[in-house]
Amino acid sequence: RHRLTFVMSPAHDSPQPMIPSEPSPLEVAASITAGELLTTVLFYPVELVKSRLQASAQSFASSSYQYSGLVDGLLSILQKNGVKGLFVGIAPVIVRAGSSDFVAAFAGEALLQRFRLESLGFLQGLFWRTLGCAVSVLSTMPFESVAARVTTSSPPLTSRGAVKVLWHEGGLKTFWRGLGVNLVLCLNPGLTFTALAQIKNLFLSLWRRQRLSTAEAAFAGVLAKLLALLISYPLMRGKSLVQARNTSGGVRQVLSSVAKDEGMRSLYQGFTAQLSKSLMSAAVKYAIKERVENLLIQSRGVPKT
């Protein structure tokens, strides 16, 4: 529901509805998808190396890329495949990024606007947006499975080749491999949101102010994202390990095996690349989201009477 306010028309002395300031679920979904698509292209080389780092382990050395870190991964790809190699598999990743973000944003905002209760505060936002993410996971996970296999397979696969391999490994259910952990990871945006609210309140209390500056808000956002990633990253790595190859065990078994063979630190392999990508893309993504959202609202125009 949009709230309309009215102003008096000088010519007719009658109330004229102003443009509602609250974006619709479709406008939110369109704006956040625009930001996601642009950042996916801009930061794709980092995304590619991050995915390969998350999916690599000594136990699967024959089927994974063995980079020592983000810079080593980027340089290795450049030396072996040139600039073109930095964008291998970008098409399925764009499809996955655009579809998952659009469905999650639209479903989450539609649920929030339909069932909003003022007394519940930010907790209902956390709940409904997490549920929206779950809807997205259930409906778009095959795109993610294909994208994961294309970007992490050694030697590389085409999208069609990835679909054939996944189907051969277990039929339709293989495209939803890792569904459980993906649903749990829907809490990641919720963790970021909750942490941001707590950090903001702490800053305002300490400095005895009502608002944060742009730089302070950005710093609070970085801390919130860092805290959320520290908590959820091992599950993200486990999901990548499971989706990147045909494994007999689930995420818990794969993570236990990797931790046993390579130590607990291995659970955070690729964390620097993930953090770098997340922080860089978040800054651009949400700036674009805000701009596009405002343009969509302004484009509605004032309804005629």
Coordinates of all heavy atoms in Angstrom, one line a residue, residues 20-116:
P20 N 3.4 9.0 -4.3 CA 3.7 8.3 -3.1 C 5.2 8.1 -3.0 O 5.9 7.7 -4.0 CB 3.0 7.0 -3.3 CG 2.7 6.9 -4.7 CD 2.6 8.3 -5.2
S21 N 5.8 8.3 -1.8 CA 7.2 8.2 -1.6 C 7.7 6.8 -1.4 O 8.9 6.5 -1.6 CB 7.7 9.1 -0.4 OG 7.0 8.7 0.7
E22 N 6.8 5.9 -1.0 CA 7.3 4.5 -0.7 C 7.3 3.7 -2.0 O 6.3 3.7 -2.7 CB 6.3 3.9 0.3 CG 6.7 2.5 0.7 CD 5.8 1.8 1.7 OE1 4.7 2.4 1.9 OE2 6.2 0.8 2.3
P23 N 8.4 3.1 -2.3 CA 8.5 2.3 -3.6 C 7.7 1.1 -3.5 O 7.5 0.5 -2.5 CB 10.0 2.0 -3.7 CG 10.5 2.0 -2.3 CD 9.7 3.1 -1.6
S24 N 7.1 0.7 -4.6 CA 6.4 -0.6 -4.7 C 7.3 -1.8 -4.7 O 8.5 -1.6 -5.0 CB 5.5 -0.6 -6.0 OG 6.3 -0.7 -7.1
P25 N 6.8 -3.0 -4.5 CA 7.7 -4.1 -4.5 C 8.4 -4.3 -5.9 O 9.6 -4.7 -6.0 CB 6.8 -5.3 -4.3 CG 5.7 -4.7 -3.4 CD 5.5 -3.3 -3.9
L26 N 7.7 -4.0 -7.0 CA 8.2 -4.1 -8.3 C 9.4 -3.1 -8.5 O 10.4 -3.4 -9.1 CB 7.2 -3.9 -9.4 CG 7.6 -4.0 -10.8 CD1 8.2 -5.4 -11.1 CD2 6.4 -3.8 -11.8
E27 N 9.2 -1.8 -8.0 CA 10.2 -0.8 -8.1 C 11.4 -1.2 -7.3 O 12.6 -1.0 -7.8 CB 9.6 0.5 -7.7 CG 8.6 1.1 -8.7 CD 7.8 2.3 -8.1 OE1 7.8 2.4 -6.9 OE2 7.3 3.0 -8.9
V28 N 11.3 -1.7 -6.1 CA 12.4 -2.1 -5.3 C 13.1 -3.3 -6.0 O 14.4 -3.2 -6.1 CB 11.9 -2.6 -3.9 CG1 13.1 -3.3 -3.1 CG2 11.3 -1.5 -3.1
A29 N 12.4 -4.2 -6.5 CA 13.0 -5.4 -7.2 C 13.8 -4.9 -8.5 O 14.9 -5.4 -8.7 CB 12.0 -6.4 -7.6
A30 N 13.2 -4.0 -9.3 CA 13.8 -3.5 -10.5 C 15.1 -2.8 -10.2 O 16.1 -2.9 -10.8 CB 12.8 -2.7 -11.3
S31 N 15.0 -1.9 -9.1 CA 16.2 -1.1 -8.8 C 17.3 -1.9 -8.3 O 18.5 -1.7 -8.6 CB 15.8 0.0 -7.8 OG 15.3 -0.5 -6.6
I32 N 17.0 -2.8 -7.4 CA 18.1 -3.6 -6.8 C 18.7 -4.6 -7.8 O 19.9 -4.9 -7.8 CB 17.6 -4.4 -5.5 CG1 18.8 -4.8 -4.6 CG2 16.8 -5.7 -5.9 CD1 18.4 -5.2 -3.3
T33 N 17.9 -5.1 -8.8 CA 18.4 -5.9 -9.8 C 19.3 -5.2 -10.8 O 20.3 -5.7 -11.2 CB 17.2 -6.6 -10.6 OG1 16.4 -7.3 -9.7 CG2 17.7 -7.5 -11.7
A34 N 18.9 -3.9 -11.1 CA 19.8 -3.1 -11.9 C 21.2 -2.9 -11.3 O 22.2 -3.0 -11.9 CB 19.2 -1.7 -12.1
G35 N 21.2 -2.6 -10.0 CA 22.5 -2.5 -9.2 C 23.2 -3.8 -9.2 O 24.5 -3.8 -9.4
E36 N 22.5 -4.9 -9.0 CA 23.2 -6.2 -9.0 C 23.8 -6.6 -10.4 O 24.9 -7.1 -10.4 CB 22.2 -7.3 -8.6 CG 22.8 -8.7 -8.6 CD 23.9 -8.9 -7.5 OE1 24.0 -8.1 -6.6 OE2 24.6 -9.9 -7.7
L37 N 23.1 -6.3 -11.4 CA 23.6 -6.7 -12.8 C 24.9 -5.9 -13.1 O 25.8 -6.4 -13.6 CB 22.5 -6.4 -13.8 CG 21.3 -7.4 -13.8 CD1 20.3 -7.0 -14.8 CD2 21.8 -8.8 -14.0
L38 N 24.9 -4.6 -12.8 CA 26.0 -3.8 -13.1 C 27.2 -4.2 -12.2 O 28.3 -4.3 -12.8 CB 25.7 -2.3 -12.8 CG 26.9 -1.3 -13.1 CD1 27.3 -1.5 -14.6 CD2 26.4 0.1 -12.8
T39 N 27.0 -4.4 -10.9 CA 28.1 -4.8 -10.1 C 28.7 -6.2 -10.4 O 29.8 -6.5 -10.3 CB 27.8 -4.8 -8.6 OG1 26.6 -5.6 -8.4 CG2 27.5 -3.4 -8.1
T40 N 27.8 -7.1 -10.9 CA 28.2 -8.4 -11.4 C 29.2 -8.3 -12.5 O 30.2 -9.0 -12.5 CB 27.0 -9.3 -11.8 OG1 26.1 -9.5 -10.7 CG2 27.4 -10.6 -12.3
V41 N 28.9 -7.4 -13.5 CA 29.8 -7.2 -14.6 C 31.1 -6.5 -14.2 O 32.2 -7.0 -14.5 CB 29.1 -6.4 -15.7 CG1 30.1 -6.1 -16.8 CG2 27.9 -7.2 -16.3
L42 N 31.0 -5.5 -13.4 CA 32.1 -4.7 -12.9 C 33.1 -5.5 -12.1 O 34.3 -5.4 -12.3 CB 31.7 -3.5 -12.1 CG 31.0 -2.3 -12.9 CD1 30.6 -1.3 -11.9 CD2 32.0 -1.8 -13.9
F43 N 32.6 -6.4 -11.2 CA 33.5 -7.1 -10.3 C 33.5 -8.6 -10.6 O 33.9 -9.4 -9.7 CB 33.0 -6.9 -8.9 CG 33.0 -5.4 -8.4 CD1 31.8 -4.8 -8.2 CD2 34.1 -4.7 -8.4 CE1 31.7 -3.4 -7.8 CE2 34.1 -3.3 -8.0 CZ 32.9 -2.7 -7.7
Y44 N 33.2 -8.9 -11.8 CA 33.1 -10.4 -12.2 C 34.5 -11.1 -12.0 O 34.5 -12.2 -11.5 CB 32.6 -10.6 -13.6 CG 32.5 -12.1 -13.9 CD1 31.4 -12.8 -13.3 CD2 33.4 -12.7 -14.6 CE1 31.3 -14.2 -13.5 CE2 33.3 -14.1 -14.9 CZ 32.3 -14.8 -14.3 OH 32.2 -16.2 -14.5
P45 N 35.6 -10.5 -12.4 CA 36.9 -11.3 -12.2 C 37.1 -11.6 -10.7 O 37.6 -12.7 -10.4 CB 37.9 -10.3 -12.7 CG 37.2 -9.5 -13.7 CD 35.8 -9.3 -13.2
V46 N 36.7 -10.7 -9.8 CA 36.8 -11.0 -8.4 C 35.9 -12.1 -8.0 O 36.2 -13.0 -7.2 CB 36.6 -9.8 -7.5 CG1 36.7 -10.1 -6.0 CG2 37.6 -8.7 -7.8
E47 N 34.7 -12.1 -8.5 CA 33.6 -13.1 -8.2 C 34.1 -14.4 -8.7 O 33.9 -15.5 -8.0 CB 32.3 -12.7 -8.9 CG 31.3 -13.8 -8.9 CD 30.6 -14.0 -7.6 OE1 30.8 -13.1 -6.7 OE2 30.0 -15.1 -7.4
L48 N 34.7 -14.5 -9.9 CA 35.2 -15.7 -10.5 C 36.3 -16.4 -9.6 O 36.2 -17.6 -9.2 CB 35.8 -15.5 -11.9 CG 36.4 -16.7 -12.6 CD1 35.3 -17.7 -12.9 CD2 37.1 -16.2 -13.9
V49 N 37.3 -15.6 -9.2 CA 38.3 -16.1 -8.3 C 37.8 -16.5 -7.0 O 38.2 -17.5 -6.4 CB 39.5 -15.1 -8.2 CG1 40.5 -15.6 -7.2 CG2 40.1 -14.8 -9.5
K50 N 36.9 -15.7 -6.4 CA 36.3 -16.0 -5.1 C 35.5 -17.3 -5.2 O 35.7 -18.2 -4.3 CB 35.3 -14.9 -4.7 CG 34.6 -15.0 -3.4 CD 33.2 -15.7 -3.5 CE 32.3 -14.9 -4.3 NZ 30.9 -15.5 -4.4
S51 N 34.8 -17.6 -6.3 CA 34.1 -18.8 -6.4 C 35.0 -20.0 -6.5 O 34.8 -21.1 -5.9 CB 33.2 -18.8 -7.6 OG 32.2 -17.8 -7.5
R52 N 36.1 -19.9 -7.2 CA 37.1 -21.0 -7.3 C 37.8 -21.2 -6.0 O 38.1 -22.4 -5.7 CB 38.0 -20.6 -8.4 CG 37.4 -20.7 -9.8 CD 38.3 -20.3 -10.9 NE 37.7 -20.5 -12.3 CZ 38.3 -20.3 -13.4 NH1 39.5 -19.8 -13.4 NH2 37.6 -20.4 -14.5
L53 N 38.1 -20.2 -5.3 CA 38.8 -20.3 -4.0 C 37.8 -21.1 -3.0 O 38.3 -21.9 -2.2 CB 39.2 -19.0 -3.4 CG 40.4 -18.3 -4.0 CD1 40.5 -16.9 -3.5 CD2 41.7 -19.1 -3.6
Q54 N 36.6 -20.7 -3.0 CA 35.6 -21.3 -2.1 C 35.4 -22.8 -2.4 O 35.2 -23.6 -1.5 CB 34.3 -20.6 -2.1 CG 34.3 -19.2 -1.5 CD 32.9 -18.5 -1.6 OE1 32.1 -18.9 -2.4 NE2 32.7 -17.6 -0.7
A55 N 35.5 -23.1 -3.7 CA 35.2 -24.5 -4.1 C 36.5 -25.4 -4.1 O 36.4 -26.6 -4.5 CB 34.6 -24.5 -5.5
S56 N 37.6 -24.8 -3.8 CA 38.9 -25.6 -3.9 C 39.2 -26.2 -2.5 O 38.9 -25.7 -1.5 CB 40.0 -24.7 -4.3 OG 40.3 -23.7 -3.4
A57 N 39.9 -27.4 -2.6 CA 40.4 -28.0 -1.4 C 41.4 -29.1 -1.8 O 41.4 -29.6 -2.9 CB 39.2 -28.7 -0.6
Q58 N 42.4 -29.3 -1.0 CA 43.4 -30.3 -1.3 C 42.8 -31.7 -1.6 O 43.3 -32.5 -2.4 CB 44.4 -30.4 -0.2 CG 45.2 -29.1 0.0 CD 46.2 -29.2 1.2 OE1 46.4 -30.3 1.8 NE2 46.8 -28.1 1.5
S59 N 41.7 -32.0 -0.9 CA 41.0 -33.3 -1.1 C 40.5 -33.4 -2.5 O 40.2 -34.5 -3.0 CB 39.9 -33.4 -0.1 OG 40.3 -33.2 1.2
F60 N 40.2 -32.3 -3.2 CA 39.7 -32.3 -4.5 C 40.6 -31.6 -5.5 O 40.2 -30.9 -6.4 CB 38.3 -31.6 -4.6 CG 37.3 -32.1 -3.5 CD1 37.0 -31.2 -2.5 CD2 36.8 -33.3 -3.6 CE1 36.1 -31.7 -1.5 CE2 35.9 -33.8 -2.6 CZ 35.6 -33.0 -1.6
A61 N 41.9 -31.8 -5.3 CA 42.9 -31.0 -6.1 C 42.8 -31.3 -7.5 O 43.1 -30.4 -8.4 CB 44.3 -31.4 -5.6
S62 N 42.4 -32.5 -7.9 CA 42.4 -32.8 -9.4 C 41.2 -32.1 -10.1 O 41.2 -32.0 -11.3 CB 42.2 -34.3 -9.5 OG 41.0 -34.8 -9.0
S63 N 40.2 -31.6 -9.3 CA 39.0 -31.0 -10.0 C 38.8 -29.6 -9.6 O 37.7 -29.1 -9.8 CB 37.8 -31.9 -9.6 OG 37.5 -31.9 -8.2
S64 N 39.8 -29.0 -9.0 CA 39.6 -27.6 -8.5 C 40.9 -26.8 -8.8 O 41.9 -27.3 -9.1 CB 39.3 -27.6 -7.0 OG 40.3 -28.1 -6.3
Y65 N 40.7 -25.5 -8.8 CA 41.8 -24.5 -9.0 C 42.5 -24.3 -7.6 O 41.8 -24.0 -6.6 CB 41.2 -23.2 -9.5 CG 40.6 -23.3 -10.9 CD1 39.3 -23.7 -11.1 CD2 41.4 -23.1 -12.0 CE1 38.7 -23.8 -12.4 CE2 40.9 -23.2 -13.3 CZ 39.5 -23.6 -13.5 OH 39.0 -23.7 -14.7
Q66 N 43.8 -24.3 -7.7 CA 44.6 -24.1 -6.5 C 45.3 -22.8 -6.5 O 46.4 -22.6 -6.9 CB 45.6 -25.3 -6.3 CG 45.0 -26.7 -6.3 CD 44.1 -26.9 -5.1 OE1 44.5 -26.6 -4.0 NE2 42.9 -27.4 -5.3
Y67 N 44.6 -21.7 -6.1 CA 45.1 -20.4 -5.9 C 45.5 -20.1 -4.5 O 44.8 -20.6 -3.6 CB 44.1 -19.3 -6.4 CG 43.6 -19.5 -7.8 CD1 42.2 -19.2 -8.1 CD2 44.4 -19.9 -8.8 CE1 41.7 -19.3 -9.4 CE2 43.9 -20.0 -10.1 CZ 42.5 -19.8 -10.4 OH 42.0 -19.9 -11.6
S68 N 46.5 -19.3 -4.3 CA 46.9 -19.0 -2.9 C 46.1 -17.8 -2.4 O 46.1 -17.6 -1.2 CB 48.4 -18.7 -2.8 OG 48.7 -17.5 -3.6
G69 N 45.4 -17.1 -3.2 CA 44.6 -16.0 -2.8 C 44.1 -15.2 -4.0 O 44.2 -15.7 -5.1
L70 N 43.4 -14.1 -3.7 CA 42.7 -13.3 -4.8 C 43.7 -12.9 -5.8 O 43.5 -13.1 -7.0 CB 42.0 -12.1 -4.1 CG 41.3 -11.2 -5.1 CD1 40.3 -11.9 -6.0 CD2 40.7 -10.0 -4.3
V71 N 44.8 -12.2 -5.4 CA 45.8 -11.7 -6.4 C 46.4 -12.8 -7.2 O 46.5 -12.7 -8.4 CB 46.8 -10.8 -5.7 CG1 47.9 -10.4 -6.7 CG2 46.2 -9.6 -5.0
D72 N 46.8 -13.9 -6.6 CA 47.4 -15.0 -7.3 C 46.4 -15.6 -8.3 O 46.8 -15.9 -9.4 CB 47.8 -16.1 -6.3 CG 48.3 -17.3 -7.0 OD1 49.4 -17.2 -7.7 OD2 47.8 -18.4 -6.8
G73 N 45.1 -15.6 -7.9 CA 44.1 -16.2 -8.8 C 43.9 -15.3 -10.1 O 43.9 -15.8 -11.2
L74 N 43.9 -14.0 -9.8 CA 43.7 -13.0 -11.0 C 44.9 -13.1 -11.9 O 44.8 -13.1 -13.1 CB 43.5 -11.6 -10.4 CG 42.2 -11.3 -9.7 CD1 42.3 -9.9 -9.0 CD2 41.0 -11.4 -10.6
L75 N 46.1 -13.1 -11.3 CA 47.4 -13.2 -12.1 C 47.5 -14.5 -12.9 O 47.9 -14.5 -14.0 CB 48.6 -13.0 -11.2 CG 48.7 -11.6 -10.6 CD1 49.9 -11.5 -9.7 CD2 48.9 -10.5 -11.7
S76 N 47.1 -15.6 -12.2 CA 47.2 -16.9 -12.8 C 46.2 -17.0 -14.1 O 46.6 -17.5 -15.1 CB 46.8 -18.0 -11.8 OG 47.7 -18.1 -10.8
I77 N 45.0 -16.5 -13.9 CA 44.1 -16.5 -15.0 C 44.6 -15.6 -16.2 O 44.5 -16.0 -17.4 CB 42.7 -16.0 -14.6 CG1 42.1 -17.0 -13.6 CG2 41.8 -15.8 -15.8 CD1 40.8 -16.5 -12.9
L78 N 45.1 -14.4 -15.9 CA 45.7 -13.5 -16.9 C 46.8 -14.2 -17.6 O 46.9 -14.1 -18.9 CB 46.1 -12.2 -16.3 CG 45.1 -11.2 -15.9 CD1 45.6 -10.0 -15.1 CD2 44.4 -10.7 -17.2
Q79 N 47.7 -14.8 -16.9 CA 48.9 -15.5 -17.6 C 48.5 -16.6 -18.4 O 49.0 -16.9 -19.5 CB 49.9 -15.9 -16.5 CG 50.5 -14.8 -15.7 CD 51.4 -15.3 -14.6 OE1 51.5 -16.5 -14.3 NE2 52.0 -14.3 -13.9
K80 N 47.5 -17.4 -18.0 CA 47.1 -18.6 -18.7 C 46.1 -18.3 -19.8 O 46.2 -18.9 -20.9 CB 46.5 -19.6 -17.8 CG 46.2 -21.0 -18.4 CD 45.8 -22.0 -17.4 CE 45.5 -23.3 -18.0 NZ 45.1 -24.3 -17.0
N81 N 45.1 -17.4 -19.6 CA 44.0 -17.3 -20.5 C 43.8 -15.8 -21.0 O 42.9 -15.6 -21.8 CB 42.7 -17.7 -19.9 CG 42.7 -19.2 -19.4 OD1 42.7 -19.4 -18.2 ND2 42.9 -20.1 -20.3
G82 N 44.6 -14.9 -20.5 CA 44.4 -13.5 -20.9 C 43.2 -12.8 -20.2 O 42.6 -13.4 -19.4
V83 N 42.9 -11.6 -20.7 CA 41.8 -10.9 -20.1 C 40.5 -11.6 -20.3 O 39.6 -11.6 -19.5 CB 41.7 -9.5 -20.8 CG1 40.5 -8.7 -20.3 CG2 43.0 -8.7 -20.5
K84 N 40.3 -12.3 -21.5 CA 39.1 -13.0 -21.8 C 38.8 -14.1 -20.7 O 37.7 -14.4 -20.4 CB 39.3 -13.7 -23.1 CG 38.0 -14.4 -23.6 CD 38.2 -15.0 -25.0 CE 36.9 -15.7 -25.4 NZ 37.1 -16.3 -26.8
G85 N 39.9 -14.7 -20.1 CA 39.7 -15.7 -19.1 C 39.1 -15.2 -17.8 O 38.5 -15.9 -17.0
L86 N 39.2 -13.9 -17.6 CA 38.7 -13.3 -16.4 C 37.1 -13.2 -16.4 O 36.5 -12.9 -15.4 CB 39.2 -11.9 -16.1 CG 40.7 -11.8 -15.8 CD1 41.1 -10.3 -15.8 CD2 41.0 -12.4 -14.5
F87 N 36.6 -13.4 -17.6 CA 35.1 -13.3 -17.8 C 34.5 -14.6 -18.2 O 33.4 -14.7 -18.7 CB 34.8 -12.2 -18.8 CG 35.1 -10.8 -18.2 CD1 36.4 -10.3 -18.4 CD2 34.2 -10.1 -17.5 CE1 36.7 -9.0 -17.9 CE2 34.5 -8.9 -16.9 CZ 35.8 -8.3 -17.2
V88 N 35.2 -15.7 -18.0 CA 34.7 -17.1 -18.3 C 33.5 -17.3 -17.5 O 33.5 -17.1 -16.3 CB 35.8 -18.2 -18.1 CG1 35.1 -19.5 -18.1 CG2 36.9 -18.1 -19.1
G89 N 32.4 -17.8 -18.1 CA 31.2 -18.1 -17.4 C 30.3 -17.0 -16.9 O 29.4 -17.2 -16.1
I90 N 30.5 -15.8 -17.5 CA 29.8 -14.6 -17.0 C 28.3 -14.7 -17.3 O 27.5 -14.2 -16.5 CB 30.4 -13.3 -17.5 CG1 29.8 -12.1 -16.8 CG2 30.2 -13.2 -19.0 CD1 30.4 -10.8 -17.1
A91 N 27.9 -15.3 -18.4 CA 26.5 -15.4 -18.8 C 25.6 -16.1 -17.8 O 24.6 -15.5 -17.4 CB 26.4 -16.0 -20.2
P92 N 25.9 -17.3 -17.4 CA 25.1 -17.9 -16.4 C 25.1 -17.2 -15.0 O 24.1 -17.2 -14.3 CB 25.6 -19.4 -16.3 CG 27.0 -19.3 -16.8 CD 27.0 -18.2 -17.9
V93 N 26.2 -16.6 -14.7 CA 26.3 -15.8 -13.5 C 25.4 -14.6 -13.5 O 24.7 -14.3 -12.5 CB 27.7 -15.4 -13.2 CG1 27.8 -14.5 -11.9 CG2 28.6 -16.6 -12.9
I94 N 25.3 -13.9 -14.7 CA 24.4 -12.8 -14.8 C 22.9 -13.2 -14.7 O 22.1 -12.6 -14.0 CB 24.6 -12.1 -16.2 CG1 25.9 -11.3 -16.1 CG2 23.5 -11.2 -16.5 CD1 26.3 -10.7 -17.4
V95 N 22.6 -14.4 -15.3 CA 21.2 -14.9 -15.2 C 20.9 -15.2 -13.7 O 19.8 -14.9 -13.2 CB 21.1 -16.1 -16.1 CG1 19.7 -16.8 -15.8 CG2 21.2 -15.8 -17.5
R96 N 21.9 -15.9 -13.1 CA 21.6 -16.2 -11.7 C 21.5 -15.0 -10.8 O 20.6 -14.9 -10.0 CB 22.8 -17.1 -11.2 CG 22.7 -17.6 -9.7 CD 23.4 -16.7 -8.7 NE 24.8 -16.6 -9.0 CZ 25.6 -15.6 -8.5 NH1 25.1 -14.7 -7.7 NH2 26.9 -15.6 -8.8
A97 N 22.4 -14.0 -11.0 CA 22.4 -12.8 -10.1 C 21.1 -12.0 -10.3 O 20.4 -11.6 -9.3 CB 23.6 -12.0 -10.4
G98 N 20.7 -11.8 -11.6 CA 19.5 -11.0 -11.9 C 18.2 -11.7 -11.4 O 17.4 -11.0 -10.7
S99 N 18.1 -13.0 -11.7 CA 16.9 -13.7 -11.3 C 16.7 -13.8 -9.8 O 15.6 -13.6 -9.2 CB 16.8 -15.0 -12.0 OG 17.9 -15.9 -11.6
S100 N 17.8 -14.2 -9.1 CA 17.7 -14.4 -7.7 C 17.4 -13.1 -6.9 O 16.6 -13.1 -6.0 CB 18.9 -15.1 -7.1 OG 20.1 -14.3 -7.3
D101 N 18.1 -12.0 -7.3 CA 17.9 -10.8 -6.6 C 16.5 -10.2 -6.9 O 15.8 -9.7 -6.0 CB 18.9 -9.7 -7.1 CG 20.1 -9.7 -6.1 OD1 20.6 -10.8 -5.7 OD2 20.6 -8.6 -5.8
F102 N 16.0 -10.4 -8.1 CA 14.7 -9.8 -8.4 C 13.6 -10.6 -7.7 O 12.7 -9.9 -7.0 CB 14.4 -10.0 -9.9 CG 13.1 -9.4 -10.4 CD1 13.0 -8.0 -10.7 CD2 11.9 -10.1 -10.4 CE1 11.8 -7.4 -11.1 CE2 10.7 -9.6 -10.7 CZ 10.7 -8.2 -11.1
V103 N 13.6 -11.9 -7.7 CA 12.6 -12.7 -7.0 C 12.7 -12.4 -5.5 O 11.6 -12.2 -4.8 CB 12.8 -14.2 -7.3 CG1 11.8 -15.0 -6.4 CG2 12.5 -14.4 -8.7
A104 N 13.9 -12.4 -4.9 CA 14.0 -12.2 -3.4 C 13.5 -10.8 -3.0 O 12.8 -10.7 -2.0 CB 15.5 -12.3 -3.0
A105 N 13.9 -9.8 -3.8 CA 13.4 -8.4 -3.4 C 11.9 -8.2 -3.6 O 11.3 -7.7 -2.7 CB 14.2 -7.4 -4.3
F106 N 11.4 -8.7 -4.7 CA 10.0 -8.6 -5.0 C 9.2 -9.3 -3.9 O 8.2 -8.8 -3.4 CB 9.6 -9.1 -6.4 CG 8.2 -8.9 -6.7 CD1 7.7 -7.7 -7.1 CD2 7.3 -10.0 -6.6 CE1 6.4 -7.5 -7.4 CE2 5.9 -9.8 -6.9 CZ 5.5 -8.6 -7.3
A107 N 9.5 -10.6 -3.7 CA 8.8 -11.4 -2.7 C 8.9 -10.8 -1.3 O 7.9 -10.7 -0.6 CB 9.3 -12.8 -2.7
G108 N 10.1 -10.4 -0.9 CA 10.3 -9.9 0.4 C 9.5 -8.6 0.7 O 8.8 -8.4 1.7
E109 N 9.6 -7.7 -0.3 CA 8.9 -6.4 -0.1 C 7.4 -6.5 -0.2 O 6.6 -5.8 0.5 CB 9.4 -5.4 -1.2 CG 10.8 -5.0 -1.0 CD 11.1 -4.4 0.3 OE1 10.3 -3.5 0.8 OE2 12.1 -4.8 1.0
A110 N 6.9 -7.4 -1.1 CA 5.5 -7.7 -1.2 C 4.9 -8.2 0.1 O 3.9 -7.8 0.6 CB 5.2 -8.6 -2.4
L111 N 5.6 -9.2 0.7 CA 5.2 -9.7 2.0 C 5.2 -8.7 3.1 O 4.3 -8.6 3.9 CB 6.1 -10.9 2.3 CG 5.9 -12.2 1.5 CD1 7.0 -13.2 1.7 CD2 4.5 -12.8 1.8
L112 N 6.3 -7.9 3.1 CA 6.5 -6.9 4.1 C 5.4 -5.8 4.0 O 4.8 -5.5 5.1 CB 7.8 -6.2 4.0 CG 8.2 -5.2 5.1 CD1 8.1 -5.7 6.5 CD2 9.5 -4.6 4.8
Q113 N 5.1 -5.4 2.8 CA 4.0 -4.3 2.7 C 2.6 -4.9 2.9 O 1.8 -4.2 3.4 CB 4.1 -3.7 1.3 CG 5.4 -2.9 1.1 CD 5.4 -2.1 -0.2 OE1 4.4 -1.9 -0.9 NE2 6.6 -1.7 -0.6
R114 N 2.4 -6.2 2.7 CA 1.1 -6.8 2.9 C 0.9 -7.1 4.3 O -0.3 -6.9 4.8 CB 1.0 -8.1 2.0 CG -0.2 -8.9 2.3 CD -1.4 -8.1 1.7 NE -2.7 -8.9 1.9 CZ -3.4 -8.9 3.0 NH1 -3.0 -8.2 4.1 NH2 -4.5 -9.6 3.1
F115 N 1.9 -7.5 5.1 CA 1.6 -7.9 6.5 C 2.3 -7.1 7.5 O 2.5 -7.5 8.6 CB 2.1 -9.4 6.6 CG 1.4 -10.4 5.7 CD1 2.0 -10.9 4.6 CD2 0.1 -10.7 6.0 CE1 1.4 -11.8 3.8 CE2 -0.6 -11.6 5.2 CZ 0.0 -12.2 4.1
R116 N 2.7 -5.8 7.1 CA 3.4 -5.0 8.0 C 2.6 -4.7 9.3 O 1.4 -4.3 9.2 CB 3.8 -3.7 7.4 CG 4.5 -2.7 8.3 CD 4.8 -1.4 7.5 NE 5.9 -1.6 6.7 CZ 6.0 -1.1 5.4 NH1 4.9 -0.4 4.9 NH2 7.0 -1.3 4.7

